[in-house]
Amino acid sequence: PIEIRFTPPAGSRWTAGTQLYPTSDPMRFTAPNLQYFMDSPTELADLMTSTFEVPNADGRPARFRVMVHSASSQADVDALAGQIRRLVREEMAVFGEFPAYEPGYYSFLLDFVAWSESDAMEHRNSTYISSPRVDLRTDAGRLEALDMVAHEYFHNWNVERIRPVGLEPFDFTRENVTCCLWLAEGFTEYYGPLLLERAGLVDV
């Protein structure tokens, strides 16, 4: 087990966006082991956060956080979170239930600032997405964000919990090549746009 405490700059309004397990201290987190710690991107910034819940198959709520670093407003982040809520319901319908998110929620960590690089990566209980092009103040910008969210969130089943056997055991000292990227990325590439359509967010 690992414990870590972040110290933001004095006078800043920075908060921590991460899938690490929370504690009573908003800047102190834990991880059950090294693998989970290494899989947990963390951003310290002036983040705008919007939360929502979606009923799971058993009726219990699955909890989500949309944490955004950008020049947009809280209203823009709330609007995006409302669209993501529609999307995750359609993604859950493919698999029949949400996974159990060990920290108590799933986090979308979104960096839409001019100095970022375009990148996106799935993790067990979160996804990190960055792009210098996305402007959440526009419909087109939110749609571009949703396109990336649709893909990365599908990975929270396909790859994070249903994965080619060749990916394990993990070894952080070497590249881990598998034969089965067609399963990991191929199905995800197919379902991303389809689920945006099913959620009524695009018309293809």
Side-chain angles (χ1 to χ4, degrees):
I2 293 171
E3 180 178 295
I4 186 168
R5 189 179 193 283
F6 301 106
T7 303
S12 73
R13 299 189 301 171
W14 290 7
T15 56
T18 183
Q19 68 169 17
L20 292 167
Y21 293 23
T23 68
S24 58
D25 180 341
M27 284 292 171
R28 185 167 60 87
F29 299 87
T30 65
N33 50 50
L34 177 64
Q35 180 176 313
Y36 192 89
F37 183 76
M38 295 293 286
D39 185 51
S40 298
T42 300
E43 178 166 12
L44 304 176
D46 187 6
L47 299 169
M48 290 172 285
T49 300
S50 188
T51 63
F52 62 88
E53 297 180 352
V54 179
N56 208 340
D58 61 3
R60 297 178 181 178
R63 296 182 173 89
F64 298 86
R65 303 186 307 174
V66 179
M67 308 184 80
V68 180
H69 185 197
S70 78
S72 58
S73 68
Q74 183 65 51
D76 298 322
V77 174
D78 292 342
L80 177 67
Q83 293 173 306
I84 292 175
R85 185 177 189 275
R86 292 164 57 183
L87 176 62
V88 301
R89 291 182 66 171
E90 292 300 329
E91 300 220 1
M92 183 268 277
V94 174
F95 294 94
E97 63 181 355
F98 292 111
Y101 299 125
E102 291 89 355
Y105 42 73
Y106 186 93
S107 299
F108 295 94
L109 308 176
L110 309 178
D111 243 329
F112 300 137
V113 289
W115 57 88
S116 67
E117 298 288 337
S118 292
D119 194 18
M121 181 58 65
E122 72 279 358
H123 303 275
R124 181 168 178 83
N125 295 304
S126 69
T127 189
Y128 175 79
I129 297 171
S130 64
S131 173
R133 301 186 313 274
V134 171
D135 185 349
L136 296 182
R137 295 169 293 189
T138 68
D139 291 341
R142 286 193 296 275
L143 185 58
E144 187 171 355
L146 288 165
D147 184 58
M148 292 182 283
V149 166
H151 179 99
E152 300 304 325
Y153 184 65
F154 196 83
H155 278 313
N156 111 100
W157 291 276
N158 190 35
V159 174
E160 285 298 327
R161 291 169 172 86
I162 304 168
R163 57 166 57 109
V165 68
L167 283 178
E168 296 185 285
F170 295 110
D171 181 349
F172 295 128
T173 67
R174 63 177 178 83
E175 189 176 17
N176 197 4
V177 179
T178 172
C179 69
C180 302
L181 194 64
W182 64 270
L183 176 67
E185 292 297 334
F187 276 81
T188 303
E189 278 288 305
Y190 171 77
Y191 270 102
L194 176 62
L195 293 169
L196 286 170
E197 167 80 18
R198 289 181 180 176
L201 297 168
V202 300
D203 181 1
V204 297

